[in-house]
Amino acid sequence: MTTAIHRLNELGQSIWYDNIRRGIIDSGELAHLIAQGISGVTSNPTIFEKAINGSNDYDDALRKLVAERKSLQEIYDTLVLEDIARGADLLRPVYDRTHGVDGYISVEVPPTMAQDTDKTIEEARRLFHTLARPNVMIKVPATPEGIPAIRQLLSEGININVTLIFSLEAYEEVMDAYLSGLEDRLAQGQPIDRIASVASFFVSRVDTLVDRLIKEKGLPESLLGKAAVANAKLAYELFLKYFNSPRFEALKNHGAMVQRPLWASTSTKNPAYPDLLYVDTLIGPDTVNTLPPQTISAVLDHVKVARTVDKDLDEAHHVIQELESHGISMKAVTDQLLQEGVDSFSASFVTLFQGLRRKRAEITGEAEPFDWNQNILRSTASETVSHLNQQKAVQRVWQHDASLWKSEPEHQAIIKNALGWLSVPEAVAKDAKNLKAFTKQLIDEGYTDVVVLGMGGSSLISDVLRHIFPAPAPYLKLQILDSTNPDAVLALKNNLPLATTVFIVASKSGTTTEPQEYFRYFFDAVSHVSSKPGEHFIAITDPGTALVSEAEHYQFRKIFLNLADIGGRYSALSWFGMVPAALSGVDIDALLLNAQEMQQMCKVDDVLENPGALLGALMGSFANNGRDKMTLLMPKALSAFSDWIEQLLAESTGKEGKGLLPIAHEPWLPVEDYSSDRLFIAYQFDSEPDNELMEHVNELRQHGHPVIILPMANRISLGGELFRWEFATAIAGSVLGIDAFDQPNVQESKDNTKRVLKQFETEKVLPAVTELGQLDQMRWSAAHLSTSQSALGDVLKSLLNTHQAGDYVAIMAYVNPTEENWAQLQEVRAIIGRNWKLPTTLGFGPRFLHSTGQLHKGGNDHGLFIQLVAMKGEKVLIPGEPFDFLTLMQAQAIGDYEALQAHGRRVVRILFDGELAPGLAQLAEVLQTINVK
């Protein structure tokens, strides 16, 4: 039976079906459409999102894959590629009958790769060779990064459907890439007669945007509904020019096919327009029109079969010229549509994975990450979620709208210059190839170790990386130094092969005290084993800092200039994190791609569907309702990640008497002993399950505690989690009403330390702190406590037994951060938690000063502080300084104690003059003897 589609075929136009779903394959519907004349199928992330999330077609297959413990990526791959393969098999007779002109089905490279040429090429190869069918096309977007990928893939004999073409300029680049790809292949002596490509030129979306601009500008209504068809007709005019050229004729003599224009987005969006506006006007030879189901039905019913695509070309030119004369730039229009197209498909891709995650949770009985059936989450946060949506909070974050956080000009200036982290993953990804080449150079020169000399955000990410991704051979073993304890400095030096070690001096400001002193010490040490010590040093800093000048003076091997509009704690995915990652063998391509996927998820406007925004909304809501202790529950494999989260949350939000207090590495309590001021956040690690942790989580939920579960597929998913937490923290700051990007109180302790060191330089002794008592080799002081007794037990009792609702205990240890000392300090912490049922934190000084230190001074007055200081240590001199590392550490402790005093904080300071281990054991004994109030 001859249909309207067959009659269109006679004019040289193929009609493809812009839809795929398992149900239409199983039911025979697709086979019936092929019999009616459909000669190809296109798919995209939006189509698959609706098919998988919006139907039950895939549920049986999904259950089987979940039972096989497949990851979400493996589930997606299996479901999508099976549909594509089955569709290709149904279309194979068309392909054979038309000698490879028609009979294709298209599958898209994930849109999250749209700005990465190498990843696009790699994924397109994988898809094409996995499907192993000649009538498959791989869809690649016509982005600047996509164009070179298109040329390369075509040269390899891979069929390409170039998607998201809106502008005539981009279309010319696409046609040139096609011809160049064939020329490259021919030069290699390879056949080109069965390589097919279509150029998907999008139509109706042009009218949607241009019509809106016409109305906004008050232009004549006669211009409405004309831009899209005019733009497409001019594209066809270019097609004729390119494929009637001598250049193509030379390829045609070797069997090359034309790259047909494929009219995409041809369903009518405006109900005032004819339903076949973008079909009837674009019919002609060597074209394809891909149509959704409702438009196919209209075509079969009432299409006007006549050659129209190259008619009225003068009118088409006139329409575009008139629009330009009225101030409507087609370049601006098409640039915007390309970005919106990438974002839209990316959002669908993200929503698809969220739907798969929900379906998997339903099958396995796993708790949803944000389970609104847990009433306490819904009742606490639903109003905040609604408010954020009304505020268009997500959009405003991406628009860099500082008023989302603050209205004061001084704050807005800081905020506007602190949002570079939103786009840094793709910026670094573009230069990843050079970073990997630099890594290879170091390995080839025999370097074996890399040490990050930093503090706070400049070094914490490296600590996370070295624990989660141990360096494989031949990459460099990653270590960090963020302690001024002399024993820690000396131990690192003695264990390093200095001759084959490279040091990264990491400081955003370029003036941070600790990295400066580390550099002086290790530059001197390396000078004894190398005639070119500067070759052993790398700097990571902002442009124009003192560190840049110093690095140039000492002839550092390399200087990485970070984007200046990224704060230290938001810099994990910038050079500060990715340089150490690359040198230690982390797959930075995969890590950054994972971050970009999360980045796309965090562009979803609806807070409930946005994994970063929803986490931030929950944290902010609970804090505003008295649950400000963010208690982190981590699988053992991810334990170090807690420290990075701790800094991000505490330094970003601990100000103006508010803040989210992160509780990391806390020894577990019986679930009934946890205070009611907590929100629990637990990670569920799919690839390395921690059953004991999940049992604890379930007990907490059963007891009524609010628990958020964050699923993490594998270690490389860290990239996405870093971005999720940065976005969540920004949103939480908005909910709390604070500037999440300044750190007004960090400087206090720094200034105090400088003053103390200045006094030491003059008087050769550190300022004394009034002491209350001494026991064996311990001495102690206290501030803002009411006690008539001086015994250590009485002083600690005065501190701990005066606790009120909402209080917590912070242990601040200026000691050597060894595993042994950590274990003893954790036992001290456990005693306090068990006996007083208070939340506890533990941080090594001076590291915590750049983390929870901001919250200690700038947050609320709920902290009970215990400062522990080692007074004994090796004398490790700092070249060029009048003080050694032990003096520096003790000065930092005094400066912090004075800052806490100045803020009226309740604090006990304990000095250990002898060996630390027996002193900590004695402290634990004293705590056990205190009668709890």
Side-chain angles (χ1 to χ4, degrees), residues 486-487 490 873-877 883-887:
D487 298 331
L490 195 60
E874 295 284 347
K875 189 173 183 63
V876 180
L877 298 175
F883 50 83
D884 59 11
F885 275 109
L886 182 62
T887 303

Side-chain angles (χ1 to χ4, degrees), residues 21 68 120 160 183 225 248 576 647 705 769 858 874 881 907:
R21 205 185 82 200
E68 295 171 359
T120 296
I160 300 297
E183 289 164 345
F248 178 70
F576 282 105
Q647 193 224 1
H705 292 291
V769 175
E874 295 284 347
E881 295 288 14
V907 56

Side-chain angles (χ1 to χ4, degrees), residues 752-910:
N752 286 346
T753 298
K754 288 179 180 178
R755 178 177 45 76
V756 169
L757 288 172
K758 193 72 175 175
Q759 180 177 333
F760 176 83
E761 187 175 352
T762 304
E763 302 177 12
K764 307 305 179 188
V765 65
L766 291 170
V769 175
T770 303
E771 294 173 0
L772 294 178
Q774 180 174 351
L775 174 66
D776 297 332
Q777 292 189 307
M778 288 193 294
R779 294 173 284 141
W780 54 91
S781 308
H784 304 293
L785 294 181
S786 298
T787 177
S788 58
Q789 304 295 320
S790 61
L792 180 58
D794 291 322
V795 173
L796 288 169
K797 180 179 179 180
S798 296
L799 177 74
L800 296 170
N801 278 356
T802 56
H803 72 85
Q804 305 292 324
D807 281 355
Y808 65 94
V809 175
I811 301 171
M812 307 167 297
Y814 289 84
V815 304
N816 190 359
T818 63
E819 290 182 7
E820 295 77 14
N821 289 342
W822 175 260
Q824 280 196 280
L825 289 163
Q826 282 287 79
E827 178 54 32
V828 168
R829 186 180 182 185
I831 291 168
I832 294 171
R834 287 194 304 266
N835 292 357
W836 282 271
K837 300 179 175 54
L838 288 170
T840 60
T841 67
L842 169 60
F844 285 116
R847 170 173 167 166
F848 78 85
L849 290 177
H850 301 259
S851 175
T852 51
Q854 164 63 45
L855 186 140
H856 292 167
K857 274 81 81 173
N860 56 41
D861 188 16
H862 280 299
L864 308 174
F865 299 97
I866 301 176
Q867 187 188 80
L868 309 176
V869 187
M871 303 300 289
K872 180 181 179 181
E874 295 284 347
K875 189 173 183 63
V876 180
L877 298 175
I878 303 171
E881 295 288 14
F883 50 83
D884 59 11
F885 275 109
L886 182 62
T887 303
L888 173 59
M889 184 192 74
Q890 291 171 354
Q892 289 173 315
I894 292 171
D896 189 36
Y897 181 73
E898 290 178 349
L900 291 168
Q901 275 187 306
H903 283 272
R905 303 304 193 226
R906 297 160 286 175
V907 56
V908 171
R909 168 179 158 91
I910 304 173

Side-chain angles (χ1 to χ4, degrees), residues 342-469:
V342 172
D343 290 347
S344 174
F345 283 162
S346 295
S348 294
F349 193 71
V350 166
T351 306
L352 169 55
F353 269 77
Q354 289 172 332
L356 285 175
R357 182 176 287 124
R358 278 193 291 268
K359 290 197 173 194
R360 183 179 66 176
E362 290 169 6
I363 292 167
T364 60
E366 295 171 357
E368 275 285 315
F370 305 107
D371 182 4
W372 288 100
N373 291 321
Q374 194 184 4
N375 288 330
I376 192 168
L377 294 186
R378 185 174 63 251
S379 61
T380 302
S382 57
E383 186 175 330
T384 297
V385 168
S386 297
H387 181 63
L388 287 169
N389 281 335
Q390 290 167 5
Q391 281 186 305
K392 297 186 176 179
V394 171
Q395 293 178 41
R396 290 168 67 189
V397 171
W398 288 103
Q399 292 165 355
H400 294 204
D401 181 355
S403 68
L404 181 64
W405 293 275
K406 287 289 184 179
S407 58
E408 298 86 350
E410 61 273 19
H411 277 292
Q412 292 204 358
I414 292 170
I415 294 166
K416 287 176 181 177
N417 194 42
L419 296 171
W421 55 272
L422 285 165
S423 56
V424 78
E426 55 262 45
V428 174
K430 287 180 180 178
D431 211 22
K433 186 180 294 185
N434 291 331
L435 182 52
K436 288 186 284 187
F438 179 66
T439 301
K440 184 178 184 300
Q441 179 189 7
L442 289 173
I443 293 169
D444 290 345
E445 291 182 22
Y447 284 92
T448 58
D449 291 69
V450 55
V451 180
V452 175
L453 308 175
M455 190 58 63
S458 300
S459 59
L460 273 170
I461 181 58
S462 295
D463 198 37
V464 175
L465 292 169
R466 76 187 184 97
H467 281 97
I468 295 181
F469 301 102

